[in-house]
Amino acid sequence: MTEDVTEYEVVVVGGGPAGMTAALYSTRLGHQTAVVTRGGGRAAMMQEVHNVLGIREETTGGEYLSIGQEQLEEYGCDIHRDMVSSCSSDGDRITLSGNSGEYSAEMVVLATGFNDVRPDPPLPRTGRGLHYCLHCDAHMFVDQSVYVMGHSESTAHVAGIMLNFTDEVDILLRGDEPDWSEETAGMIERHPIDVVDEDVTGVQNGEDGWLEALEFEDGSVREYKGGFAMYGAEYNNGLAKELGCEINEDGTIDVGDHGKTSVDNVYAVGDCTAGHNQIPVALGQGAKAGIDIHFSLRDFPRDPELLDEQGPVRSDEVPGIPDELLEQAVDFHTYGK
Ligand SMILES: Cc1cc2nc3c(=O)[nH]c(=O)nc-3n(C[C@H](O)[C@H](O)[C@H](O)COP(=O)(O)OP(=O)(O)OC[C@H]3O[C@@H](n4cnc5c(N)ncnc54)[C@H](O)[C@@H]3O)c2cc1C
C-alpha cells in the first residue's frame, strides 16, 4: 500500500441521496467515513424535489444535495470530489483508485446510480417538458396533453399509466420500429393512445421555457405540456463488476438484505440496484446499509460465546469508538445539550 492511500473504515462511492445517507448513518454511528463522488448524478438534475416529505417542492436538486454535504461534513465525514475508476480487494481491505487519490476501506458502499439514455435532439428542456421520472412528475400533467417518447415495452407501459392522469397521451416513435410484444400492441390499440411515427424536427417553448408544442417531419405540430423519454438506463456497475459482485440481467447490482451484495463487505444502494428510483427509497436503502455496517464493524454487546471465552467486558474496553471520533463527537455542537 502506498503512502498516498487515505484509510477509512467505510468509503461510499457516489454522493447522491443514497450514498450520502449511508455515509450519514455510518459517520454518526462512529465510523471513519468518506464519500468519494464525481458530483452530478440524477438527483442533481432535479429542477424541483417532489415526494420527499419535509422538503419544499421548489428546492432544486443542487440545493438539496449541498445541504446533505454540509450535514455530513459537520459530523466529520470527508467528502472527496473524485471519480473512482478502479478498485480491488485483498480479502481484508478494499482499495478504490480515483483520479486524485487512493482510498482504502474495510467496508464499501456503492451508490453510483445510473444515467438515463437521452434521446437525440431536438428536445424540450429537462424538467420543463422533458421528464424521466413518472412517479415524480406525472402529477404535474393531470388533464394535460402528454407524450411518451420511445419504442420499448416500458414506453407503452408508461403511456398506459399516464391514462390515469389525462386523456391525451401520444407515443412518439421518432421513426423507430416498436420493440413491444403483440400483447402490448393489443393493449395500445384498445386504449385511446395515439402512436406517432414521424421524427421530431422542432420544439416550441413558451416564455417561461416550458414546452408548448413539438413539430414533426410531416409538417404537423402537436401541443404538449410535457412528456417522458423512455430509452433505458446505463447502470454505473463497473466497480461492482470489478469487485466480483453479481449483476442482474438489466444491469442493476444484485443485493440482498440491507443492500449486501454477493461480495463480503460490499454494499450497493439507490438507483444502481433494482427497485423504484425515488429519493425516499434511496434514503431508506442508505439508512439500512449504514446501520448494518455499524453492526458488522462494532463489538458491543459482545456475543455470549465470546463472553464465555474471554470473560466479562472490562470498563476500560468501552466505549468501542476510536479516540479521534470520540473527540469529534464531543466537539459537535449538539453534544451535552
Ligand atoms: C430529472 C429527474 C428528476 C427527478 N425528480 C425526482 C423527484 O422529484 N423526487 C424523487 O423522489 N426522485 C426524483 N428523481 C429520481 C432521483 O433523482 C433518484 O432516484 C435518486 O437521485 C437516486 O439516488 P442515488 O444516490 O442512487 O443516485 P444519484 O443521485 O444518481 O447519485 C449517484 C452519484 O454517484 C456518482 N458516481 C457514479 N459513479 C461514480 C464513480 N465511479 N466515482 C465517483 N462517483 C460516482 C454520480 O456522479 C452521482 O453523483 C428524479 C430523477 C431525474 C433524472
Side-chain angles (χ1 to χ4, degrees):
M1 196 173 286
T2 67
E3 275 177 8
D4 298 322
V5 180
T6 319
E7 294 198 359
Y8 294 96
E9 287 183 277
V10 181
V11 170
V12 178
V13 186
M20 285 208 283
T21 303
L24 184 62
Y25 275 83
S26 161
T27 305
R28 295 192 78 250
L29 289 169
H31 303 281
Q32 286 152 324
T33 304
V35 174
V36 185
T37 186
R38 66 176 180 214
R42 297 189 84 229
M45 289 168 68
M46 292 184 298
Q47 303 276 335
E48 289 156 349
V49 177
H50 307 293
N51 294 338
V52 186
L53 195 73
I55 297 292
R56 292 188 194 287
E57 305 273 313
E58 61 271 23
T59 308
T60 64
E63 286 162 353
Y64 177 67
L65 292 171
S66 66
I67 294 169
Q69 283 189 15
E70 276 169 32
Q71 234 175 323
L72 280 176
E73 284 174 330
E74 211 175 343
Y75 280 109
C77 177
D78 286 346
I79 300 191
H80 300 277
R81 184 55 79 100
D82 198 358
M83 158 93 185
V84 178
S85 47
S86 66
C87 51
S88 60
S89 171
D90 63 6
D92 185 26
R93 293 186 70 85
I94 296 163
T95 303
L96 302 150
S97 307
N99 295 337
S100 323
E102 290 213 337
Y103 316 90
S104 149
E106 287 174 54
M107 298 275 180
V108 163
V109 181
L110 300 172
T112 46
F114 68 78
N115 305 322
D116 296 280
V117 177
R118 266 177 84 82
D120 291 333
L123 292 171
R125 285 174 52 188
T126 301
R128 293 284 178 270
L130 174 63
H131 302 258
Y132 292 95
C133 178
L134 181 75
H135 304 298
C136 316
D137 295 340
H139 180 270
M140 62 174 81
F141 298 127
V142 169
D143 209 25
Q144 303 284 344
S145 176
V146 300
Y147 67 80
V148 184
M149 208 180 266
H151 49 276
S152 60
E153 283 289 339
S154 45
T155 311
H157 184 63
V158 166
I161 290 175
M162 283 311 296
L163 292 173
N164 297 305
F165 298 88
T166 176
D167 59 357
E168 293 178 73
V169 181
D170 292 353
I171 290 179
L172 308 184
L173 290 175
R174 302 198 60 179
D176 289 312
E177 280 298 311
D179 271 349
W180 52 65
S181 65
E182 274 181 35
E183 193 186 350
T184 300
M187 180 280 285
I188 294 170
E189 273 166 32
R190 284 173 285 166
H191 286 83
I193 297 172
D194 273 0
V195 179
V196 180
D197 289 313
E198 288 79 20
D199 201 357
V200 175
T201 51
V203 175
Q204 296 178 11
N205 291 329
E207 276 176 20
D208 56 0
W210 263 94
L211 176 69
E212 288 190 339
L214 293 176
E215 298 162 5
F216 293 85
E217 59 189 356
D218 63 356
S220 62
V221 175
R222 286 172 176 254
E223 287 183 7
Y224 297 111
K225 172 78 177 173
F228 297 90
M230 301 302 301
Y231 289 84
E234 283 164 358
Y235 288 94
N236 298 320
N237 57 18
L239 298 174
K241 283 182 182 165
E242 230 177 310
L243 289 169
C245 303
E246 240 165 73
I247 306 291
N248 299 316
E249 228 168 77
D250 62 358
T252 52
I253 303 169
D254 189 40
V255 287
D257 282 351
H258 311 292
K260 280 183 175 151
T261 69
S262 57
V263 172
D264 283 348
N265 304 337
V266 181
Y267 291 72
V269 292
D271 277 6
C272 62
T273 65
H276 295 298
N277 303 314
Q278 286 285 282
I279 288 175
V281 176
L283 301 181
Q285 291 176 338
K288 284 174 83 175
I291 291 169
D292 200 62
I293 284 171
H294 174 65
F295 288 142
S296 312
L297 284 176
R298 288 292 182 261
D299 282 346
F300 304 120
R302 205 162 263 170
D303 68 50
E305 271 176 32
L306 265 180
L307 287 170
D308 288 345
E309 209 179 283
Q310 299 178 357
V313 176
R314 297 184 316 274
S315 58
D316 63 358
E317 288 179 88
V318 294
I321 193 169
D323 289 346
E324 63 275 25
L325 291 177
L326 192 57
E327 278 167 32
Q328 210 167 56
V330 171
D331 283 347
F332 191 75
H333 64 86
T334 56
Y335 181 79
K337 298 245 166 80

